[in-house]
Amino acid sequence: MIKLGLPVAALFMAFLILFGALGGLGGSGGAYAMGCGKPGQPADDGASGNGSKGDATGGAGKELRARQVANAKIIDQVAKDGKLPGRATLIALMTALAESQLDNINYGDRDSLGLFQQRPSSGWGTREQILDPKYAAHMFFFGGDSGDPPGLDDVPWENLSLNDAAQKVQRSGFADAYGPKETQARSIAKEAGIDLERSGENHPGKSGSSGSSGKPADNGKGGKDPDEPPETCDMSGTGEPGKPGEPFHDGKSSWPDVVKNRRSTEDAIKWARAEADSHNSGWFQGCLRFTAVAYGHEAAGTQYAIDHYQIEMPKDMRHDGDRNPPPGALMFWDTGHRAGHVAIYVGDGKVASNDIVTPGEISIVPATDIETKWGAKYLGWSPPYYPKAG
């Protein structure tokens, strides 16, 4: 995950809506964000990362789930040793799920490592230290001795939503990545025998959902939990995708004879949907590569999505601004960044896209989400043509 330095944080927030090519992603267990969250954000990541109610496993297989439970126990023990309430453990579990799938991985963006993708270059510790789950959890909760980098204990997290508390520590480019992990975090905690409702001597006014007295902590909002929806919240939700332009509809078009791929259109769409169900997190900033692999190639042969559309794609294959792509078409956007973005149209107004819900994962979402969530400009669609595929 991208860690941001404080000097550029303010500037970044001003341009967050244009963050499309580089990624983009809260909600509580009651799915309140469905009606009251920011536009385009899901209440939970769901079995396919599609904004439906969260899957308790998050797509994790048996072996990964076992590692997640083991790591959750370590994280909770560090929290208990620090006399933190169960709510702190919940925040940590949600954070680690978003950052590493709660797996102690030895790789990440730039020099990011471990459960929380902490960076040696940002003062989180040495590589060896960060890869120690106990040390990593301690740093997440308590930060550096000087308060930089900050730990959860260094911020007023009791008055923040679960997602925002995690973001205060992580300072991530994906500011809303953590909230959608609550369902999965609670499921893992239950399997691990972790009491998320326990109070703590450190920050005693906040346990998993209520204070040590059993009443909601007073946080300056009349005692209401910051994860609860405001009283004016519309809990129903419309289910309609947001749109700065018209909705996308299925068109009909056959591919030119020159378009030859190793997978058929039907098989490519089927593969893309299966990849969304798998929660494979290996597609971070890999939109063009994803589309090429879906059609059976090892690579697209072009570095940037926007170049693939504007330079490599023949003019007679570019359907500029046409919002009626046929299923299997490649759809392109100008995100305000060098790379641009491309996704596969799977029909019924939806696309298979990386990074739009969870960094690195493929999700099936309304095609209009690329506009509403990233502020991107739709360029048009083309057949799945890869003249330089390798």
Side-chain angles (χ1 to χ4, degrees):
M1 299 290 286
I2 300 173
K3 304 300 189 295
L4 301 176
L6 290 176
V8 300
L11 180 63
F12 173 83
M13 290 304 293
F15 292 96
L16 182 60
I17 194 169
L18 297 177
F19 199 65
L22 300 180
L25 275 174
S28 71
Y32 298 130
M34 186 75 76
C36 296
K38 299 175 184 178
Q41 292 176 351
D44 248 311
D45 53 358
S48 299
N50 59 5
S52 61
K53 184 170 175 57
D55 185 311
T57 68
K62 183 177 181 180
E63 292 183 0
L64 174 57
R65 180 72 169 200
R67 295 196 299 273
Q68 290 173 333
V69 169
N71 289 325
K73 290 179 179 179
I74 294 173
I75 290 171
D76 186 54
Q77 188 59 55
V78 173
K80 289 193 291 187
D81 290 345
K83 300 181 180 180
L84 291 170
R87 183 181 177 85
T89 295
L90 177 58
I91 294 169
L93 295 182
M94 291 166 60
T95 302
L97 281 167
E99 296 282 2
S100 68
Q101 296 190 75
L102 192 50
D103 200 11
N104 192 30
I105 55 178
N106 63 357
Y107 58 88
D109 176 57
R110 291 174 284 183
D111 59 337
S112 300
L113 298 161
L115 293 171
F116 300 95
Q117 289 291 280
Q118 295 157 334
R119 299 181 60 194
S121 62
S122 296
W124 290 98
T126 67
R127 177 183 176 90
E128 291 72 21
Q129 288 174 323
I130 291 172
L131 288 174
D132 177 354
K134 185 175 181 179
Y135 172 90
H138 188 275
M139 286 296 290
F140 176 81
F141 288 127
F142 301 105
D145 293 337
S146 64
D148 186 26
L152 188 65
D153 199 45
D154 296 317
V155 300
W157 57 272
E158 302 97 329
N159 297 333
L160 299 173
S161 70
L162 298 169
N163 181 89
D164 291 352
Q167 171 62 1
K168 283 289 186 180
V169 179
Q170 297 300 96
R171 297 178 289 183
S172 167
F174 300 102
D176 299 297
Y178 309 106
K181 296 297 181 182
E182 184 179 357
T183 296
Q184 191 180 351
R186 289 187 177 278
S187 173
I188 290 171
K190 182 177 181 180
E191 188 172 334
I194 296 172
D195 180 11
L196 296 178
E197 307 303 318
R198 72 169 188 277
S199 60
E201 295 179 31
N202 190 358
H203 298 274
K206 205 69 166 177
S207 63
S209 61
S210 60
S212 56
S213 65
K215 299 178 180 180
D218 185 358
N219 53 29
K221 299 180 180 180
K224 178 170 284 190
D225 189 304
D227 289 302
E228 292 183 11
E231 293 180 359
T232 57
C233 174
D234 176 8
M235 297 294 288
S236 62
T238 64
E240 296 294 328
K243 56 182 189 317
E246 293 298 317
F248 292 90
H249 300 288
D250 294 5
K252 293 183 179 181
S253 178
S254 58
W255 310 142
D257 291 340
V258 71
V259 177
K260 299 182 185 299
N261 295 303
R262 297 174 182 175
R263 280 200 184 101
S264 68
T265 299
E266 293 75 14
D267 286 344
I269 293 175
K270 182 178 180 180
W271 184 90
R273 289 185 178 278
E275 193 67 7
D277 289 335
S278 75
H279 282 261
N280 173 17
S281 59
W283 299 108
F284 179 62
Q285 296 184 15
C287 60
L288 184 57
R289 179 171 61 90
F290 162 70
T291 66
V293 173
Y295 275 97
H297 305 290
E298 293 183 5
T302 312
Q303 185 173 4
Y304 297 117
I306 202 164
D307 289 349
H308 194 79
Y309 185 70
Q310 295 180 336
I311 298 175
E312 303 300 335
M313 195 66 61
K315 289 185 178 180
D316 61 354
M317 293 190 193
R318 299 201 303 254
H319 299 261
D320 295 340
D322 185 350
R323 301 179 81 89
N324 299 280
L330 305 184
M331 298 176 66
F332 294 84
W333 289 264
D334 181 349
T335 61
H337 294 267
R338 175 64 181 88
H341 186 66
V342 60
I344 297 176
Y345 186 67
V346 297
D348 195 28
K350 297 180 179 180
V351 292
S353 172
N354 64 305
D355 296 339
I356 188 67
V357 174
T358 304
E361 295 186 11
I362 303 301
S363 301
I364 308 299
V365 298
T368 48
D369 275 11
I370 311 300
E371 296 172 312
T372 58
K373 294 185 71 173
W374 288 352
K377 177 183 178 181
Y378 175 60
L379 296 177
W381 66 267
S382 77
Y385 181 49
Y386 301 92
K388 297 182 178 179

